[in-house]
Amino acid sequence: MGKLAKRYRIEDGEGFRLKDWDPGDTAWLDDKVVAQEALADSVARLAEMQDKLYAQDHWSVLLIFQAMDAAGKDSTIKHVMSGINPQGCQVTAFKQPSAEELDHDFMWRTTRHLPERGRIGIFNRSYYEEVLVVRVHSGVLGNQRIPPKLVTKKIWKERFEDIGAFERYLARNGTLVLKFFLNVSREEQKKRFLDRLNEPEKHWKFQPSDVAERQLWPDYMKAYEEMIRATAAPHAPWHVIPADNKWFTRLAVAAAVVDAMDGLDLAYPKVEPGISEKLQAARAALENE
């Protein structure tokens, strides 16, 4: 699955254009059943890697998911991480900032939830909201209580620089950073919204504000494009994952995570000299009880 993992990976955002990435792409796969079998294999491989990650206790993994509403973030996380030991994985969903969070710098609320060594941390939305929602809705920035003289025309460029420096810092301290933009088309989003409205058991997923946000689609696409262009890096790559077919989205994300974690050279810790004899003695004592 290495080829699939690298297909949507962006390490250098220069020249990136969102219109060049097809939300309906399924690479060379057209058999949903085969894809589901491949996903099961990747989930099993990921579970094995996570066990070694935890035992080795050197690396941590941060997976960041960003997308428009109804792109499938929740279901993708659910399916890709279905085989992971809950003790070794933590998911944090970031909603509208609280009063306490607004009284801190824009990275504060997310840094509190960074994964420990040996664990996988998942951000369902993240500090990237600060160059997406905050940028598209100009009034939000005014609520962040930043000294007025610091809110200049360069603020988005400055935030990109701050995020880039932060992710470089994480990488230098042993955190594997992988970022996923689930690229759903506007047509598919409309279909999924209508499904939620037409099925009573899905009404809870729909918010009236979803329609209003949809009207800002061009603004969001521009913000996403500039975000990826400015913050893609070898140590913190973006993956622009086609999201119109959920079965393919899940497989592409799983392949990317497995491929990246495979590069960490994960292994169970070796027994220190002298411990082997003690283990043998412990076994003999138990067997002779």
Side-chain angles (χ1 to χ4, degrees):
M1 301 300 290
K3 184 178 178 181
L4 180 61
K6 293 177 175 59
R7 183 180 178 92
Y8 305 107
R9 182 183 176 107
I10 301 173
E11 297 185 354
D12 183 352
E14 185 176 356
F16 173 77
R17 298 185 305 173
L18 196 51
K19 67 179 183 179
D20 295 334
W21 297 75
D22 179 10
D25 183 38
T26 58
W28 53 90
L29 297 170
D30 55 10
D31 190 323
K32 185 175 179 179
V33 174
V34 172
Q36 290 173 334
E37 292 173 350
L39 174 60
D41 290 341
S42 293
V43 168
R45 177 73 175 126
L46 184 56
E48 178 185 347
M49 287 179 162
Q50 185 270 328
D51 198 47
K52 293 179 180 179
L53 177 81
Y54 184 84
Q56 191 181 65
D57 200 28
H58 286 172
W59 294 91
S60 59
V61 177
L62 176 62
L63 309 179
I64 295 174
F65 289 86
Q66 293 288 159
M68 296 293 286
D69 293 325
K73 296 190 306 300
D74 291 341
S75 64
T76 297
I77 293 169
K78 175 182 175 181
H79 284 80
V80 173
M81 297 295 154
S82 60
I84 296 296
N85 184 335
Q87 291 184 334
C89 180
Q90 55 206 51
V91 182
T92 308
F94 294 98
K95 306 295 184 182
Q96 184 175 343
S98 66
E100 180 187 20
E101 290 168 343
L102 289 173
D103 270 337
H104 291 80
D105 63 272
F106 79 87
M107 300 287 287
W108 182 77
R109 70 172 182 156
T110 51
T111 54
R112 299 166 66 207
H113 298 279
L114 289 171
E116 307 163 52
R117 295 193 191 280
R119 288 175 168 80
I120 298 174
I122 301 170
F123 285 179
N124 186 340
R125 302 191 188 279
S126 68
Y127 43 82
Y128 280 104
E129 293 294 286
E130 298 295 330
V131 293
L132 292 169
V133 174
V134 178
R135 187 172 188 178
V136 171
H137 293 274
S138 57
V140 177
L141 188 61
N143 295 328
Q144 295 191 339
R145 304 164 193 170
I146 302 170
K149 69 178 183 179
L150 299 180
V151 182
T152 70
K153 294 181 179 180
K154 297 181 179 179
I155 190 168
W156 309 118
K157 180 177 181 293
E158 291 169 348
R159 287 195 170 185
F160 289 145
E161 291 173 350
D162 292 338
I163 289 171
F166 176 69
E167 291 177 345
R168 185 165 53 250
Y169 167 80
L170 290 179
R172 288 174 174 172
N173 283 273
T175 297
L176 173 66
V177 181
L178 300 176
K179 303 174 294 191
F180 298 92
F181 169 52
L182 304 191
N183 184 25
V184 69
S185 67
R186 191 171 185 178
E187 294 74 17
E188 180 63 20
Q189 186 197 57
K190 177 181 178 180
K191 176 179 177 297
R192 293 178 186 179
F193 278 170
L194 288 172
D195 286 343
R196 292 177 180 183
L197 291 169
N198 292 333
E199 299 179 35
E201 63 273 17
K202 292 184 179 181
H203 283 180
W204 66 274
K205 291 184 176 183
F206 190 84
Q207 299 293 329
S209 60
D210 291 343
V211 175
E213 287 294 280
R214 179 175 165 81
Q215 303 310 310
L216 299 171
W217 188 278
D219 296 327
Y220 272 109
M221 292 303 102
K222 181 181 179 181
Y224 272 112
E225 185 173 270
E226 292 189 17
M227 174 194 76
I228 294 170
R229 188 179 296 156
T231 60
H235 57 270
W238 275 103
H239 298 77
V240 180
I241 305 293
D244 278 6
N245 299 284
K246 289 186 177 182
W247 59 269
F248 183 76
T249 303
R250 297 161 186 167
L251 177 60
V253 169
V257 177
V258 168
D259 183 72
M261 290 185 65
D262 193 44
L264 299 181
D265 296 324
L266 300 173
Y268 292 111
K270 293 183 178 180
V271 176
E272 297 180 4
I275 298 296
S276 181
E277 291 77 6
K278 294 181 180 180
L279 294 178
Q280 294 293 341
R283 179 186 292 109
L286 288 170
E287 292 176 344
N288 292 327
E289 282 185 353

